[in-house]
Amino acid sequence: MRSTLRIESLEARNMLTAPPTVTDVNLSSTAWDADFIDKLEGTYLGTDGFSVTGSPIAPWDNIDPIIITLDQGTTIKASDLSLSGKNTAAFAFSDFSYDSINFVATWTLAAPLAKDKYFIDLNSDGLAPVENIYGQDLDGDGYGGYGGDGNDYELRFDVLPGDANQDGTVSQLDWDAVDALDGKTTVDVEYDPFMDLDGYGGIDSGDTDIVDAHYGGALPGGDPEGVSNDAPSTSGLSNVSVNEDAADSSIGLYTPFEDYETADNSLIFSVVSNSNPGLFTDVTIDGSGNLILDYAADANGAADIVVRATDAGGLFVETTQHVTVTAVNDAPVISNFQAVPAGGDFWLVTGTVTDVDDDPEGWTVTFGGKISGTTTVAADGTFSFIVLILPVNYGKISAQTEDDDEAESNLAEYIVV
């Protein structure tokens, strides 16, 4: 009996992966003591800070970093997070970092958070969203599973400095609660981190002073701007590299910025900062949404230009335009070239050599036309040459030099008559 070998094609098997989700959001402070942060962690109040995933009130007066932990590696950028408030529509960040080993992203604010209702929105459906290595966008709903990606992660929380008992107002009750633990530190059983309003690791008069400073404070009514308005998103701006003395660069902003509620041509674009103003004569945004870079003559180096797009509700996103201007060797220039009588048939030939890149002292100037010979440039950039010119040889004379990189100057000319 003959057996038959049958070969069948295998069905393709794709690895099933869950989209990334947010596992925790913590508020922290660059001023908090390490023992205070350890106490928060030891009492299950947060990791590297105070967890606000349950939307509690944060009573400290020096909160500046926002720390978001994800469940897996992602491509995440500073521009992916929008923070909005009720009293202040939107906030800028002064720093961003991402720990790709522990999947922790940290945004640091330019100033500590004041009394307000806050709303964070982590981008999953705009330009360049948070996504994993498989291209799955953030599952902002946090349900996990397969195919639940594409929703922004959104979270409401409140900051009310001085509200030690977290009842929504700063009152005598807060002052009494803090004062009752005066002198307690993180090593004491009675210590309560909610009474340590500066996060220095000990409860003292500095904390009751914070209550006094915010006495009578309460959260505003209504919702933060971001609850009903998505912030713009950005795919970022490609690096610009040009040579020194290049023509203006024009970078369109409509494509790399997007907002669901506001049309591109209704977004308000602005230049927030420029790390190297001397590299440009002007940096502007024209009426057609183009970033115009007008390069300064003979300037070279690098600059980071922060560009912001603001929507109709006041929410904004920022990205950085990196610019590199490569130095180009400029040729020397001879000016003030002339010849004047020096007695008899002798003439004094003079001129000035300048070079924006180099010191011309000692360079050789070569003469031509009706005269010949060489001279050297003095320390002040001038040169001189005594030469015999008979009347029969009157006419055009010339001078030329070159720099150390053999770039030739202009051919300076003068007519002896």
Side-chain angles (χ1 to χ4, degrees), residues 117-158:
K117 291 180 176 178
Y118 292 97
F119 184 81
I120 62 174
D121 188 322
L122 192 60
N123 178 30
S124 180
D125 56 10
L127 295 174
V130 178
E131 62 182 18
N132 63 16
I133 60 173
Y134 303 105
Q136 292 176 296
D137 297 336
L138 175 73
D139 174 12
D141 295 329
Y143 301 133
Y146 305 95
D149 58 332
N151 302 305
D152 287 359
Y153 175 81
E154 300 174 340
L155 178 67
R156 267 271 298 110
F157 66 89
D158 299 320

Side-chain angles (χ1 to χ4, degrees), residues 2-358:
R2 177 181 298 175
S3 62
T4 302
L5 178 63
R6 176 178 297 175
I7 299 175
E8 297 182 356
S9 60
L10 296 176
E11 180 182 350
R13 294 288 191 267
N14 296 320
M15 181 181 295
L16 294 177
T17 59
T21 61
V22 172
T23 61
D24 201 6
V25 177
N26 286 267
L27 304 180
S28 190
S29 173
T30 53
W32 284 354
D33 185 83
D35 289 340
F36 175 78
I37 295 175
D38 289 343
K39 192 67 174 182
L40 290 174
E41 294 184 355
T43 51
Y44 306 103
L45 291 174
T47 302
D48 294 325
F50 174 60
S51 177
V52 287
T53 50
S55 301
I57 295 174
W60 301 280
D61 75 336
N62 50 9
I63 293 168
D64 44 13
I66 297 175
I67 304 169
I68 296 181
T69 305
L70 298 107
D71 68 341
Q72 59 184 277
T74 60
T75 57
I76 189 168
K77 308 174 300 303
S79 58
D80 284 321
L81 183 68
S82 169
L83 174 67
S84 63
K86 175 61 178 177
N87 292 330
T88 302
F91 296 82
F93 302 105
S94 61
D95 193 25
F96 170 77
S97 64
Y98 177 57
D99 177 355
S100 60
I101 303 299
N102 298 301
F103 321 136
V104 177
T106 302
W107 288 262
T108 302
L109 291 144
L113 291 177
K115 172 188 70 179
D116 208 349
K117 291 180 176 178
Y118 292 97
F119 184 81
I120 62 174
D121 188 322
L122 192 60
N123 178 30
S124 180
D125 56 10
L127 295 174
V130 178
E131 62 182 18
N132 63 16
I133 60 173
Y134 303 105
Q136 292 176 296
D137 297 336
L138 175 73
D139 174 12
D141 295 329
Y143 301 133
Y146 305 95
D149 58 332
N151 302 305
D152 287 359
Y153 175 81
E154 300 174 340
L155 178 67
R156 267 271 298 110
F157 66 89
D158 299 320
V159 173
L160 183 54
D163 186 15
N165 63 8
Q166 298 182 294
D167 66 354
T169 59
V170 183
S171 67
Q172 188 64 42
L173 295 176
D174 299 296
W175 198 98
D176 291 342
V178 172
D179 184 60
L181 295 181
D182 183 54
K184 302 301 180 182
T185 69
T186 55
V187 301
D188 295 310
V189 174
E190 301 91 342
Y191 173 84
D192 185 344
F194 290 106
M195 306 299 152
D196 189 356
L197 296 173
D198 53 20
Y200 290 172
I203 301 170
D204 55 25
S205 60
D207 300 299
T208 51
D209 287 345
I210 291 174
V211 177
D212 288 335
H214 300 280
Y215 202 87
L219 294 169
D223 291 321
E225 175 65 27
V227 171
S228 59
N229 176 24
D230 276 345
S233 62
T234 179
S235 58
L237 296 169
S238 299
N239 295 347
V240 170
S241 296
V242 298
N243 288 331
E244 186 180 300
D245 299 322
D248 293 359
S249 293
S250 177
I251 299 105
L253 300 179
Y254 289 163
T255 298
F257 288 96
E258 178 183 89
D259 186 84
Y260 285 127
E261 296 93 354
T262 305
D264 290 346
N265 59 5
S266 294
L267 289 171
I268 299 173
F269 295 103
S270 57
V271 174
V272 177
S273 64
N274 177 1
S275 67
N276 189 359
L279 200 58
F280 310 93
T281 299
D282 204 3
V283 176
T284 57
I285 296 173
D286 67 17
S288 299
N290 299 303
L291 174 66
I292 307 298
L293 307 178
D294 184 358
Y295 302 103
D298 303 320
N300 58 78
D304 286 335
I305 300 169
V306 177
V307 180
R308 175 183 294 180
T310 305
D311 69 14
L315 298 186
F316 59 76
V317 66
E318 296 177 348
T319 193
T320 300
Q321 176 68 73
H322 302 283
V323 182
T324 301
V325 179
T326 302
V328 173
N329 182 38
D330 289 278
V333 175
I334 296 178
S335 59
N336 304 320
F337 183 56
Q338 63 178 344
V340 296
D345 289 323
F346 287 94
W347 290 74
L348 175 63
V349 181
T350 60
T352 302
V353 178
T354 54
D355 191 295
V356 297
D357 305 311
D358 301 295

Side-chain angles (χ1 to χ4, degrees), residues 365-409:
V365 177
T366 302
F367 299 102
K370 294 294 185 177
I371 62 175
S372 62
T374 62
T375 190
T376 56
V377 181
D380 63 356
T382 63
F383 63 85
S384 61
F385 184 61
I386 295 288
V387 62
L388 178 68
I389 307 177
L390 298 173
V392 69
N393 291 323
Y394 285 178
K396 185 182 294 183
I397 62 173
S398 65
Q400 193 169 35
T401 189
E402 64 180 30
D403 65 17
D404 295 331
D405 294 315
E406 300 182 351
E408 292 185 337
S409 72

